[in-house]
Amino acid sequence: MAISEEPSRFDTEGAGASSPAPARRGRVRFRRAAIMGVPAAAIAATLVVLTAQGAIAAQFAISGMPFVVSGDSLEGTGFGQFGALDSMADNSPNAGDTGGQELVIVSAFRHAEITNLCQSVSLGGTYLHLTAGTKAGHRVEADTLTTDSTDIAAAGASFGNIEIGGDSSTFDKPPVKGPLGVFGQQADTATLTGFRQTNYATTAAKFTLPNLHMNFAKKGC
């Protein structure tokens, strides 16, 4: 809530200067190594999600201000998940010592429905607070929902026809694919109960928010 193919984010190539000897070429894979290190255990309790076909991570420069999203339940179809990097705008005051990049868990759903959604972002002394889908029979709905998260927890999680450990570039169940050679998982269905996540980005092709309420509050979600 709080919504390019750029293979270069994960691979950097350089060629040596020309000389009689064959030019040396190398690949720097420290980012890919970090991404592949996202554990399956963390993935199993998640809800994060992406953009268009072949895209990875947010298609916009993130603010660098994390926000919390929680809910009583999320039921989704066409689920996929893998690691990626989000980037802030150049010279962002929120970059800190990260270099303006955040390693995130990307989760994607073709369609998702959420009960009792809450979202909040700290503005220093107060919170911008949003709720929706709080009435019975009126759930938040999203198409091509994607979220980029750094922390995900759930009281329970269940998956239908799950595949763990696949190359995220080959996925066909979620609405997006990940980078070549990156560890991921996909499933026909995914259900989370009592979930809470820290996000840097959320996108959706369509987001329906019944009973929407936004205000400033002393406490976040």
Side-chain angles (χ1 to χ4, degrees):
M1 299 202 39
I3 288 185
S4 117
E5 300 178 350
E6 295 184 39
S8 60
R9 293 184 183 178
F10 299 92
D11 271 330
T12 336
E13 289 192 8
S18 60
S19 66
R24 298 179 63 187
R25 296 177 64 86
R27 290 180 180 271
V28 179
R29 289 194 174 90
F30 64 96
R31 289 180 181 172
R32 173 174 290 179
I35 291 168
M36 293 177 71
V38 176
I43 293 170
T46 121
L47 145 83
V48 206
V49 232
L50 267 211
T51 39
Q53 181 72 17
I56 49 177
Q59 289 183 320
F60 51 86
I62 61 171
S63 70
M65 297 176 64
F67 56 95
V68 172
V69 175
S70 65
D72 289 347
S73 68
L74 180 148
E75 297 179 11
T77 58
F79 169 75
Q81 193 171 68
F82 47 86
L85 286 168
D86 281 352
S87 298
M88 302 175 203
D90 291 342
N91 302 313
S92 170
N94 300 319
D97 60 358
T98 67
Q101 293 184 318
E102 291 289 342
L103 181 64
V104 295
I105 307 167
V106 172
S107 305
F109 293 89
R110 290 191 180 277
H111 181 77
E113 297 186 5
I114 303 170
T115 301
N116 199 20
L117 176 69
C118 180
Q119 175 185 296
S120 64
V121 57
S122 174
L123 301 177
T126 190
Y127 289 85
L128 180 59
H129 189 270
L130 178 153
T131 59
T134 55
K135 293 184 179 180
H138 296 81
R139 299 200 287 184
V140 170
E141 294 191 42
D143 293 328
T144 314
L145 173 66
T146 72
T147 61
D148 300 3
S149 308
T150 55
D151 188 83
I152 301 166
S158 62
F159 302 89
N161 293 324
I162 191 169
E163 301 170 5
I164 300 174
D167 186 313
S168 65
S169 70
T170 67
F171 286 175
D172 57 5
K173 295 181 180 183
V176 297
K177 299 177 185 290
L180 177 66
V182 170
F183 174 99
Q185 69 174 8
Q186 63 173 348
D188 289 342
T189 62
T191 300
L192 305 177
T193 57
F195 70 88
R196 179 183 179 86
Q197 54 190 59
T198 301
N199 293 348
Y200 275 94
T202 298
T203 69
K206 182 179 180 181
F207 223 154
T208 303
L209 301 165
N211 319 124
L212 174 65
H213 180 220
M214 184 181 293
N215 66 327
F216 292 103
K218 294 181 179 180
K219 294 182 178 181
C221 299

